[in-house]
Amino acid sequence: APCCILAFIALLFTRFWLLSVLYAVWWVIDRDQPSKGGRRVQLIRNCAVWRYMRDYFPITLVKTAELDPRQNYLLGFHPHGVLAAGAFLNFCTEASGFSTLFPGISPHLMMLSLWFRAPFFRDYLMSGGFVASDKESASHVLQRPGGGNLLAIIVGGAREALDARPGSCTLLLRNRKGFVRLAMQHGTPLVPAFSFGENDLFDQVRNPEGSWLRWIQHRLQQVMGISLPLFHARGIFQYSFGLIPYRRPICTVVGKPIPVQKRQKPSEEEVNQVHEKYLNELSKLFEEHKAQYNVPADSHLEFI
Protein backbone atom coordinates (compact mmCIF):
# COMPACT_ATOMS: atom_id res chain seq x y z
CA ALA A 1 0.00 0.00 0.00
CA PRO A 2 2.74 2.58 0.80
CA CYS A 3 4.39 1.81 -2.56
CA CYS A 4 1.10 2.48 -4.37
CA ILE A 5 0.67 5.79 -2.58
CA LEU A 6 4.25 6.82 -3.44
CA ALA A 7 3.76 5.79 -7.08
CA PHE A 8 0.54 7.82 -7.28
CA ILE A 9 2.29 10.94 -5.93
CA ALA A 10 5.48 10.40 -7.98
CA LEU A 11 3.52 10.22 -11.24
CA LEU A 12 2.23 13.74 -10.61
CA PHE A 13 5.78 15.04 -11.06
CA THR A 14 6.46 13.26 -14.33
CA ARG A 15 5.14 13.57 -17.86
CA PHE A 16 2.61 10.86 -16.91
CA TRP A 17 0.91 13.18 -14.40
CA LEU A 18 -2.38 12.83 -16.28
CA LEU A 19 -2.58 9.17 -15.22
CA SER A 20 -2.73 10.17 -11.55
CA VAL A 21 -5.24 12.94 -12.27
CA LEU A 22 -7.52 10.60 -14.24
CA TYR A 23 -7.20 7.95 -11.55
CA ALA A 24 -8.10 10.50 -8.88
CA VAL A 25 -11.31 11.32 -10.78
CA TRP A 26 -12.09 7.60 -11.07
CA TRP A 27 -11.32 7.13 -7.38
CA VAL A 28 -13.91 9.75 -6.40
CA ILE A 29 -16.56 8.25 -8.70
CA ASP A 30 -15.81 4.72 -7.49
CA ARG A 31 -15.22 5.50 -3.80
CA ASP A 32 -18.18 3.48 -2.47
CA GLN A 33 -17.43 0.28 -4.38
CA PRO A 34 -15.51 -1.46 -1.52
CA SER A 35 -18.73 -1.23 0.54
CA LYS A 36 -20.89 -2.46 -2.34
CA GLY A 37 -19.50 -5.94 -2.88
CA GLY A 38 -16.18 -4.91 -4.45
CA ARG A 39 -15.24 -5.84 -8.00
CA ARG A 40 -13.76 -9.29 -8.43
CA VAL A 41 -11.62 -10.14 -11.48
CA GLN A 42 -11.35 -13.86 -12.19
CA LEU A 43 -8.08 -13.37 -14.09
CA ILE A 44 -6.45 -12.06 -10.90
CA ARG A 45 -8.02 -14.79 -8.72
CA ASN A 46 -6.70 -17.48 -11.10
CA CYS A 47 -3.19 -16.02 -11.38
CA ALA A 48 -0.43 -18.69 -11.34
CA VAL A 49 1.52 -16.91 -8.58
CA TRP A 50 -1.13 -17.97 -6.04
CA ARG A 51 -0.53 -21.62 -6.86
CA TYR A 52 3.19 -21.16 -6.08
CA MET A 53 2.18 -19.52 -2.79
CA ARG A 54 -0.16 -22.46 -2.04
CA ASP A 55 2.60 -24.99 -2.66
CA TYR A 56 5.17 -23.11 -0.56
CA PHE A 57 3.46 -23.93 2.75
CA PRO A 58 1.33 -25.85 1.41
CA ILE A 59 -2.22 -24.55 1.98
CA THR A 60 -5.34 -26.69 1.56
CA LEU A 61 -9.08 -26.08 1.91
CA VAL A 62 -11.32 -28.82 3.35
CA LYS A 63 -15.10 -29.00 3.01
CA THR A 64 -17.13 -30.85 5.64
CA ALA A 65 -20.63 -29.93 4.43
CA GLU A 66 -22.38 -28.65 1.32
CA LEU A 67 -23.30 -24.97 0.98
CA ASP A 68 -26.56 -24.33 -0.86
CA PRO A 69 -25.91 -21.74 -3.63
CA ARG A 70 -29.47 -20.44 -3.18
CA GLN A 71 -28.48 -19.01 0.22
CA ASN A 72 -26.01 -16.42 1.47
CA TYR A 73 -23.64 -17.31 4.32
CA LEU A 74 -21.54 -15.59 6.98
CA LEU A 75 -18.31 -17.47 7.68
CA GLY A 76 -16.24 -16.89 10.81
CA PHE A 77 -12.53 -17.51 10.14
CA HIS A 78 -10.22 -18.47 13.04
CA PRO A 79 -7.49 -17.77 14.01
CA HIS A 80 -6.17 -14.53 12.49
CA GLY A 81 -2.52 -15.58 12.66
CA VAL A 82 0.09 -12.95 11.85
CA LEU A 83 -0.80 -12.50 8.17
CA ALA A 84 -4.09 -14.45 7.75
CA ALA A 85 -2.43 -16.30 4.86
CA GLY A 86 -5.02 -19.08 4.84
CA ALA A 87 -7.93 -16.64 4.67
CA PHE A 88 -6.37 -14.76 1.77
CA LEU A 89 -5.36 -17.74 -0.33
CA ASN A 90 -8.54 -19.76 0.23
CA PHE A 91 -11.12 -16.99 -0.24
CA CYS A 92 -9.40 -14.38 -2.42
CA THR A 93 -7.76 -16.71 -4.94
CA GLU A 94 -8.69 -19.96 -6.66
CA ALA A 95 -5.39 -21.67 -5.76
CA SER A 96 -7.05 -24.06 -3.29
CA GLY A 97 -10.06 -24.62 -5.55
CA PHE A 98 -12.80 -22.77 -3.68
CA SER A 99 -15.15 -22.61 -6.68
CA THR A 100 -14.69 -26.33 -7.33
CA LEU A 101 -15.40 -27.27 -3.72
CA PHE A 102 -18.29 -24.84 -3.33
CA PRO A 103 -19.88 -24.41 -6.80
CA GLY A 104 -22.18 -21.43 -7.18
CA ILE A 105 -20.74 -19.62 -4.12
CA SER A 106 -18.84 -16.31 -4.45
CA PRO A 107 -16.55 -15.63 -1.45
CA HIS A 108 -15.92 -12.14 -0.07
CA LEU A 109 -13.34 -11.45 2.65
CA MET A 110 -13.67 -8.41 4.90
CA MET A 111 -10.64 -6.16 5.33
CA LEU A 112 -10.03 -2.94 7.26
CA SER A 113 -11.52 0.00 5.33
CA LEU A 114 -8.20 1.82 5.86
CA TRP A 115 -6.52 -0.26 3.13
CA PHE A 116 -9.06 0.81 0.51
CA ARG A 117 -7.82 4.39 0.78
CA ALA A 118 -4.58 3.52 -1.02
CA PRO A 119 -4.71 4.32 -4.77
CA PHE A 120 -4.27 1.35 -7.13
CA PHE A 121 -3.97 -1.00 -4.13
CA ARG A 122 -7.73 -0.71 -3.49
CA ASP A 123 -8.47 -2.01 -6.99
CA TYR A 124 -6.08 -4.93 -6.51
CA LEU A 125 -7.80 -5.82 -3.21
CA MET A 126 -11.27 -5.73 -4.75
CA SER A 127 -10.16 -7.87 -7.70
CA GLY A 128 -9.56 -10.79 -5.35
CA GLY A 129 -12.84 -10.46 -3.48
CA PHE A 130 -11.94 -8.19 -0.55
CA VAL A 131 -14.67 -5.86 0.74
CA ALA A 132 -14.56 -3.11 3.37
CA SER A 133 -15.13 -4.14 6.98
CA ASP A 134 -18.13 -2.02 7.86
CA LYS A 135 -21.80 -2.80 8.50
CA GLU A 136 -22.96 -1.32 5.19
CA SER A 137 -20.54 -3.53 3.29
CA ALA A 138 -21.58 -6.68 5.18
CA SER A 139 -25.28 -5.98 4.69
CA HIS A 140 -24.78 -5.41 0.96
CA VAL A 141 -23.32 -8.91 0.54
CA LEU A 142 -25.67 -10.73 2.92
CA GLN A 143 -28.90 -9.30 1.50
CA ARG A 144 -28.07 -9.92 -2.17
CA PRO A 145 -31.09 -11.60 -3.79
CA GLY A 146 -30.69 -15.08 -5.22
CA GLY A 147 -28.05 -16.20 -2.72
CA GLY A 148 -24.68 -17.67 -3.62
CA ASN A 149 -22.58 -15.24 -1.55
CA LEU A 150 -20.28 -16.04 1.35
CA LEU A 151 -18.99 -13.25 3.57
CA ALA A 152 -15.86 -14.31 5.47
CA ILE A 153 -14.96 -12.37 8.62
CA ILE A 154 -11.71 -12.87 10.55
CA VAL A 155 -13.51 -12.44 13.85
CA GLY A 156 -10.46 -12.08 16.14
CA GLY A 157 -9.16 -9.24 14.00
CA ALA A 158 -5.94 -7.34 14.49
CA ARG A 159 -5.86 -7.83 18.27
CA GLU A 160 -5.82 -11.61 17.92
CA ALA A 161 -2.66 -11.36 15.79
CA LEU A 162 -0.80 -10.29 18.95
CA ASP A 163 -1.32 -13.81 20.36
CA ALA A 164 -0.38 -15.63 17.14
CA ARG A 165 2.50 -17.99 17.95
CA PRO A 166 3.13 -21.69 17.24
CA GLY A 167 0.91 -23.99 19.28
CA SER A 168 -1.48 -21.24 20.40
CA CYS A 169 -5.17 -22.20 20.57
CA THR A 170 -6.37 -18.91 22.06
CA LEU A 171 -9.14 -17.11 20.17
CA LEU A 172 -10.40 -13.58 20.82
CA LEU A 173 -14.05 -14.55 20.56
CA ARG A 174 -15.75 -14.62 23.96
CA ASN A 175 -17.10 -11.07 23.67
CA ARG A 176 -17.11 -10.75 19.88
CA LYS A 177 -20.81 -10.98 19.04
CA GLY A 178 -21.31 -8.38 16.32
CA PHE A 179 -21.01 -10.97 13.54
CA VAL A 180 -23.69 -13.11 15.24
CA ARG A 181 -26.06 -10.15 15.51
CA LEU A 182 -25.41 -9.37 11.83
CA ALA A 183 -26.26 -12.94 10.80
CA MET A 184 -29.47 -12.83 12.85
CA GLN A 185 -30.59 -9.53 11.34
CA HIS A 186 -30.30 -11.05 7.85
CA GLY A 187 -31.33 -14.61 8.75
CA THR A 188 -28.01 -15.79 7.33
CA PRO A 189 -26.56 -19.19 8.36
CA LEU A 190 -23.28 -19.00 10.30
CA VAL A 191 -20.38 -21.15 9.09
CA PRO A 192 -17.44 -21.80 11.47
CA ALA A 193 -14.00 -22.33 9.90
CA PHE A 194 -10.74 -23.19 11.65
CA SER A 195 -7.38 -22.84 9.93
CA PHE A 196 -4.97 -25.40 11.38
CA GLY A 197 -1.36 -24.22 11.19
CA GLU A 198 -2.25 -20.54 10.76
CA ASN A 199 -0.40 -19.62 13.97
CA ASP A 200 2.68 -21.69 13.12
CA LEU A 201 4.12 -19.54 10.33
CA PHE A 202 6.04 -17.11 12.56
CA ASP A 203 7.60 -16.82 15.99
CA GLN A 204 6.64 -13.69 17.91
CA VAL A 205 8.51 -11.67 20.52
CA ARG A 206 7.03 -12.34 23.98
CA ASN A 207 4.33 -9.77 24.72
CA PRO A 208 2.22 -11.01 27.65
CA GLU A 209 -0.73 -8.93 28.86
CA GLY A 210 0.57 -6.20 31.14
CA SER A 211 3.99 -5.95 29.47
CA TRP A 212 5.25 -2.63 28.09
CA LEU A 213 5.41 -4.09 24.58
CA ARG A 214 1.76 -5.22 24.70
CA TRP A 215 0.74 -1.77 26.02
CA ILE A 216 2.49 -0.06 23.08
CA GLN A 217 0.92 -2.50 20.59
CA HIS A 218 -2.57 -1.88 21.99
CA ARG A 219 -2.07 1.89 21.82
CA LEU A 220 -0.87 1.70 18.20
CA GLN A 221 -3.85 -0.48 17.33
CA GLN A 222 -6.28 2.04 18.87
CA VAL A 223 -4.69 4.89 16.91
CA MET A 224 -4.01 3.16 13.56
CA GLY A 225 -6.62 0.40 13.53
CA ILE A 226 -3.97 -2.24 12.73
CA SER A 227 -1.80 -4.30 15.08
CA LEU A 228 1.98 -4.51 14.80
CA PRO A 229 3.17 -7.90 16.09
CA LEU A 230 6.97 -8.21 16.31
CA PHE A 231 7.43 -11.46 14.39
CA HIS A 232 10.30 -13.35 12.80
CA ALA A 233 10.80 -16.67 11.02
CA ARG A 234 13.36 -17.69 8.36
CA GLY A 235 15.48 -15.97 5.74
CA ILE A 236 15.66 -16.58 2.00
CA PHE A 237 18.90 -18.58 2.06
CA GLN A 238 19.06 -19.60 5.72
CA TYR A 239 16.56 -20.94 8.23
CA SER A 240 17.65 -19.29 11.48
CA PHE A 241 16.27 -15.75 11.20
CA GLY A 242 14.31 -13.56 8.80
CA LEU A 243 10.83 -12.35 7.87
CA ILE A 244 9.94 -15.11 5.38
CA PRO A 245 7.26 -17.41 6.89
CA TYR A 246 8.21 -20.95 7.81
CA ARG A 247 7.20 -23.68 5.35
CA ARG A 248 4.53 -25.23 7.54
CA PRO A 249 1.23 -26.62 6.26
CA ILE A 250 -2.03 -24.72 6.70
CA CYS A 251 -5.34 -26.53 6.41
CA THR A 252 -8.53 -24.49 6.56
CA VAL A 253 -11.48 -26.67 7.55
CA VAL A 254 -14.92 -25.23 6.74
CA GLY A 255 -17.63 -26.52 9.08
CA LYS A 256 -21.33 -27.10 8.53
CA PRO A 257 -23.74 -24.14 8.45
CA ILE A 258 -25.58 -23.22 11.65
CA PRO A 259 -29.19 -22.19 10.82
CA VAL A 260 -30.08 -18.72 12.15
CA GLN A 261 -33.61 -17.41 12.56
CA LYS A 262 -34.15 -13.91 11.20
CA ARG A 263 -34.59 -11.25 13.89
CA GLN A 264 -34.58 -7.60 12.87
CA LYS A 265 -33.82 -6.52 16.43
CA PRO A 266 -32.50 -9.57 18.31
CA SER A 267 -32.38 -9.32 22.10
CA GLU A 268 -29.13 -9.70 24.03
CA GLU A 269 -30.30 -13.10 25.26
CA GLU A 270 -31.06 -14.33 21.72
CA VAL A 271 -27.65 -13.16 20.50
CA ASN A 272 -25.95 -14.91 23.44
CA GLN A 273 -27.74 -18.17 22.68
CA VAL A 274 -26.66 -18.20 19.02
CA HIS A 275 -23.14 -17.08 19.99
CA GLU A 276 -22.84 -19.95 22.49
CA LYS A 277 -24.02 -22.41 19.85
CA TYR A 278 -21.39 -21.02 17.46
CA LEU A 279 -18.63 -21.47 20.08
CA ASN A 280 -19.74 -25.07 20.67
CA GLU A 281 -19.78 -25.87 16.93
CA LEU A 282 -16.35 -24.29 16.44
CA SER A 283 -14.93 -26.28 19.37
CA LYS A 284 -16.50 -29.44 17.97
CA LEU A 285 -14.95 -28.77 14.55
CA PHE A 286 -11.54 -28.27 16.17
CA GLU A 287 -11.77 -31.45 18.29
CA GLU A 288 -12.94 -33.60 15.36
CA HIS A 289 -10.05 -32.61 13.10
CA LYS A 290 -7.11 -31.72 15.36
CA ALA A 291 -5.60 -35.25 15.38
CA GLN A 292 -5.21 -35.14 11.57
CA TYR A 293 -3.12 -31.95 11.82
CA ASN A 294 -0.75 -32.99 14.61
CA VAL A 295 -2.42 -30.94 17.32
CA PRO A 296 -1.75 -32.54 20.76
CA ALA A 297 -4.71 -34.37 22.28
CA ASP A 298 -4.59 -32.16 25.38
CA SER A 299 -4.87 -28.93 23.32
CA HIS A 300 -8.31 -27.32 23.34
CA LEU A 301 -9.65 -23.99 22.09
CA GLU A 302 -9.56 -21.21 24.68
CA PHE A 303 -11.94 -18.28 24.18
CA ILE A 304 -10.98 -14.94 25.69
Side-chain angles (χ1 to χ4, degrees):
C3 294
C4 290
I5 294 169
L6 287 172
F8 176 78
I9 295 170
L11 280 172
L12 289 170
F13 298 94
T14 70
R15 58 179 175 169
F16 303 109
W17 60 270
L18 189 58
L19 286 175
S20 283
V21 172
L22 290 173
Y23 184 84
V25 173
W26 162 250
W27 192 359
V28 172
I29 295 170
D30 194 55
R31 64 186 178 278
D32 295 330
Q33 195 57 37
S35 295
K36 292 184 176 178
R39 187 188 302 105
R40 68 180 56 242
V41 179
Q42 281 304 120
L43 188 66
I44 301 295
R45 287 179 59 87
N46 287 311
C47 188
V49 70
W50 308 133
R51 294 194 288 277
Y52 289 112
M53 179 179 172
R54 173 199 65 197
D55 295 339
Y56 172 82
F57 294 102
I59 294 177
T60 52
L61 181 65
V62 173
K63 176 176 78 171
T64 63
E66 295 292 337
L67 296 186
D68 186 351
R70 293 170 297 181
Q71 277 194 303
N72 293 324
Y73 297 91
L74 195 158
L75 179 142
F77 181 92
H78 315 272
H80 184 288
V82 171
L83 295 179
F88 167 72
L89 199 115
N90 287 316
F91 303 121
C92 294
T93 82
E94 288 296 335
S96 56
F98 182 93
S99 294
T100 304
L101 283 172
F102 301 103
I105 304 289
S106 296
H108 307 265
L109 180 61
M110 296 198 98
M111 191 176 195
L112 280 175
S113 303
L114 167 76
W115 297 110
F116 292 96
R117 295 174 192 165
F120 307 123
F121 189 61
R122 67 187 291 279
D123 299 280
Y124 157 70
L125 291 175
M126 286 192 288
S127 70
F130 280 108
V131 293
S133 59
D134 55 54
K135 195 172 181 181
E136 179 197 349
S137 176
S139 296
H140 190 276
V141 173
L142 296 179
Q143 66 191 14
R144 278 184 171 175
N149 294 280
L150 180 140
L151 180 69
I153 301 177
I154 306 175
V155 183
R159 269 191 67 188
E160 192 175 77
L162 299 177
D163 288 313
R165 45 180 50 85
S168 173
C169 294
T170 302
L171 300 180
L172 188 63
L173 188 55
R174 177 62 62 188
N175 297 311
R176 298 260 167 140
K177 301 175 184 178
F179 73 105
V180 172
R181 188 180 298 276
L182 192 64
M184 294 179 76
Q185 288 170 344
H186 294 280
T188 307
L190 281 164
V191 181
F194 192 87
S195 198
F196 292 91
E198 195 73 48
N199 282 336
D200 298 338
L201 305 188
F202 296 93
D203 293 312
Q204 192 171 164
V205 175
R206 279 194 81 251
N207 59 342
E209 289 288 351
S211 66
W212 64 269
L213 176 56
R214 189 68 162 228
W215 182 85
I216 291 172
Q217 288 173 323
H218 276 318
R219 292 294 295 169
L220 285 171
Q221 187 208 335
Q222 289 168 357
V223 174
M224 301 168 60
I226 56 174
S227 65
L228 294 171
L230 293 181
F231 59 89
H232 58 90
R234 52 163 288 186
I236 298 175
F237 302 111
Q238 44 77 32
Y239 297 89
S240 55
F241 189 82
L243 297 178
I244 307 295
Y246 294 121
R247 295 191 73 172
R248 292 172 179 168
I250 297 173
C251 186
T252 303
V253 182
V254 178
K256 64 180 180 181
I258 303 167
V260 173
Q261 221 169 4
K262 190 170 184 176
R263 290 276 190 275
Q264 198 60 48
K265 292 184 178 179
S267 66
E268 202 64 39
E269 187 182 349
E270 289 173 326
V271 172
N272 289 340
Q273 285 175 355
V274 177
H275 184 259
E276 198 60 38
K277 187 174 183 181
Y278 181 86
L279 296 185
N280 292 336
E281 288 296 324
L282 181 61
S283 293
K284 187 179 171 185
L285 183 73
F286 178 81
E287 296 296 332
E288 285 177 354
H289 293 87
K290 67 180 184 181
Q292 299 172 45
Y293 305 111
N294 301 316
V295 177
D298 59 352
S299 288
H300 308 286
L301 290 185
E302 179 189 357
F303 303 120
I304 58 172

